[in-house]
Amino acid sequence: MPRFFVPKENITDDKIIITSGDVAHITRVLRMGAGDKILVCDGKGFEYDAEIVETGKKEIIFRVLEKTESKNEPNISVTLYQGVPKGGKMEYIIQKTTELGITSIVPVEMARCVSKIKGGDKIERWNKISAEAAKQSQRGIVPRVCEPMSFREAAERMKKDDLFFAPYECEETGGLKNTLLSKKDVKTVSFMIGPEGGFDLSEIEALKAAGIPTVTLGRRILRTETAGEAVLAMIMYEIGDVNN
């Protein structure tokens, strides 16, 4: 069944109105009309079986048949603090971590970042990529790509979660698995990935001074665009999708 994300304000107990570019997709591409059914997600974790009642050029009105809680979301909320990479790597990171169950992504300006984020157009584009990946992977929410943060601000924000850490290629003793299993009843997780050049030594010292542990991902060094999705997959395996 086709799946679409609709703003919560366009959904009531018995009616849904679609006014976005999805109107043309539903009526012209899918050639759907009155009586046809789709699945609507409110981006907040709920899904609606809906039937088309009326179509127009600018909006489609649906009747709500059933409302259920999404079963496709993990048991935890995970935030990736990503050192801003070069070129289109950030788009890849957003797409793949969205597929794997990320909750939010924060671009972080770090010492070894080559690229700089200028203006809000890039953030808007990144959120569109997140929305498309969420639709494709049948997520119950659309992960948010936040405004960029400084390294110091990101490190302070991370500590508000139940579990937090930073993978570091020079770490030799602290393993990721032990870190993930070090606490019980974890509901929120955050982790920080460095850019292409990795963390600057001053940043590692700042993380440790702030009480944020560094962990090893094994004997091989991962690219920045690989590390985030690899860590997230391990998080979901160990503590995120434990009921699946």
Side-chain angles (χ1 to χ4, degrees), residues 21-73:
D22 288 330
V23 171
H25 184 75
I26 292 170
T27 57
R28 297 177 187 175
V29 179
L30 298 179
R31 297 185 179 276
M32 302 181 80
D36 289 326
K37 299 178 178 63
I38 69 168
L39 184 65
V40 171
C41 299
D42 61 10
K44 306 296 182 182
F46 287 94
E47 300 176 349
Y48 305 78
D49 289 324
E51 180 182 55
I52 297 176
V53 174
E54 182 180 340
T55 62
K57 292 183 178 180
K58 295 184 178 181
E59 69 175 26
I60 303 175
I61 299 174
F62 296 84
R63 176 167 61 92
V64 174
L65 303 176
E66 184 180 13
K67 176 184 176 181
T68 57
E69 190 171 357
S70 175
K71 298 179 181 178
N72 295 343
E73 289 304 305

Side-chain angles (χ1 to χ4, degrees), residues 200-220:
D200 185 79
L201 184 57
S202 65
E203 292 169 337
I204 291 299
E205 292 173 348
L207 288 174
K208 292 181 177 180
I212 299 173
T214 56
V215 301
T216 176
L217 299 181
R219 299 178 181 178
R220 292 164 295 281

